[in-house]
Amino acid sequence: MAQTAKVTANVTILIGLVGAPVGLIAAARKETAGGGVIHRVHECPDGNITRIKEQNYCPHCLKAVEEVARGLEVSKNSCVIVRNEELAALAPTKSDVVEITSFTPSSSIDPIFFEKSYYVVPKPAGVKAYALLVAILKNNEGFFGVAKWTMWGHQYNVFIRNFEDGIMIHTAFTAAELRPIDEFRNIAKIKLSEQERNLGMGLAASMTTLFDPSAMRNEYNEKVEALAARKTLQASDAAVQPVKPKTEVVSIIEAMQASLLKIQSEKTKAAQ
């Protein structure tokens, strides 16, 4: 981990009467192509170039407004106004303690619940307690600690787990925050032949491999960065070659058979 990593929050993880003071560091961040943002500007008729100023516009009054209130939607196109002091009275009390209240099998938690991930790093005064917490989590491998954490005016449900020789915390969505999906309900009713199932299972087996994080690349970002590099060198040709569309295979059996032959051919070439 880079030494320049910024600690997002300082908390104490508590299990029973054992507390480990730690720092939380964001484990990942979304990289955007180029890594920078350019201000939008407007070239005025008189030659001036001015940064665009965003305004609060009311489509009902048909004008820009300065003062805005916070509205909570209670039904479609219907809101109630709430004041900042009303929300402040309801806000949870800030707590620097993350108390593990239970352990649950990790296999029972669907990845859809995971929101953000944080590395948990020990503070010098709590290295011993941290090491004990790591040992507890390793001994309970396959289980996640469940806790709550209040910070920045929000209450978070979190999962705590062993990661390599340390600890990681994942904030989690609540069940109410997950969007329902109806399109899956009729899939189980679709009948598949034994041949289709066997070919499908064989295809999946032939494609099975160990996870390689280095293989997960953002090719679009790489192309944009290469484009920026070419422009920096004043390259004249920055054209992108068009991608030929793939020919659609109508039969699912033909598609799986063709996929198996392709994979077997690639493995034979790799072994030579």
Side-chain angles (χ1 to χ4, degrees):
M1 186 183 300
Q3 294 182 352
T4 55
K6 182 179 179 181
V7 172
T8 302
N10 295 299
V11 299
T12 296
I13 297 180
L14 191 66
I15 177 171
L17 298 177
V18 179
V22 299
L24 304 185
I25 297 174
R29 63 180 181 181
K30 185 67 177 177
E31 292 289 349
T32 55
V37 178
I38 300 175
H39 285 285
R40 292 176 296 171
V41 295
H42 172 237
E43 189 171 352
C44 303
D46 60 2
N48 287 325
I49 296 178
T50 308
R51 289 183 180 179
I52 299 300
K53 180 181 178 181
E54 294 186 0
Q55 294 181 316
N56 296 313
Y57 180 79
C58 176
H60 179 76
C61 299
L62 302 179
K63 65 177 183 179
V65 294
E66 293 294 332
E67 294 186 4
V68 294
R70 182 170 299 184
L72 296 181
E73 190 174 39
V74 292
S75 61
K76 188 174 182 180
N77 299 325
S78 178
C79 293
V80 293
I81 294 178
V82 292
R83 309 297 177 186
N84 289 335
E85 55 270 22
E86 292 176 313
L87 293 175
L90 301 176
T93 303
K94 177 184 175 182
S95 174
D96 294 331
V97 175
V98 180
E99 183 176 5
I100 298 177
T101 56
S102 63
F103 286 91
T104 190
S106 58
S107 58
S108 67
I109 304 171
D110 192 284
I112 194 173
F113 283 96
F114 288 84
E115 184 186 15
K116 293 182 180 179
S117 301
Y118 297 90
Y119 294 122
V120 180
V121 295
K123 295 293 183 180
V127 174
K128 187 84 171 181
Y130 183 90
L132 176 59
L133 187 55
V134 170
I136 293 171
L137 291 169
K138 282 188 174 181
N139 186 63
N140 286 274
E141 187 174 358
F143 286 78
F144 286 176
V146 180
K148 288 187 182 295
W149 171 38
T150 303
M151 185 66 69
W152 307 305
H154 297 281
Q155 188 177 68
Y156 299 91
N157 296 279
V158 300
F159 300 124
I160 303 174
R161 69 179 179 94
N162 170 246
F163 178 76
E164 296 182 354
D165 290 327
I167 300 170
M168 182 168 280
I169 276 183
H170 304 277
T171 59
F173 292 109
T174 64
E177 291 172 319
L178 300 185
R179 294 175 178 172
I181 184 77
D182 295 326
E183 284 76 3
F184 294 163
R185 292 183 178 179
N186 296 322
I187 299 300
K189 299 178 182 179
I190 298 175
K191 301 298 181 183
L192 298 174
S193 68
E194 186 176 352
Q195 183 184 17
E196 289 170 335
R197 288 182 179 277
N198 290 339
L199 279 170
M201 299 306 109
L203 176 60
S206 67
M207 298 171 66
T208 301
T209 183
L210 294 176
F211 175 60
D212 178 13
S214 64
M216 298 180 67
R217 297 161 45 207
N218 190 322
E219 296 180 3
Y220 171 73
N221 275 8
E222 293 174 1
K223 290 177 180 179
V224 172
E225 289 170 358
L227 173 63
R230 290 198 299 270
K231 282 184 171 290
T232 302
L233 297 173
Q234 297 182 341
S236 59
D237 183 13
V240 178
Q241 296 296 325
V243 178
K244 292 181 65 177
K246 296 182 179 179
T247 303
E248 182 179 358
V249 182
V250 177
S251 168
I252 187 173
I253 292 179
E254 291 178 2
M256 288 189 290
Q257 289 173 333
S259 299
L260 281 168
L261 289 173
K262 182 175 181 292
I263 292 171
Q264 291 169 356
S265 175
E266 290 174 350
K267 287 184 176 180
T268 301
K269 290 180 180 178
Q272 292 176 350

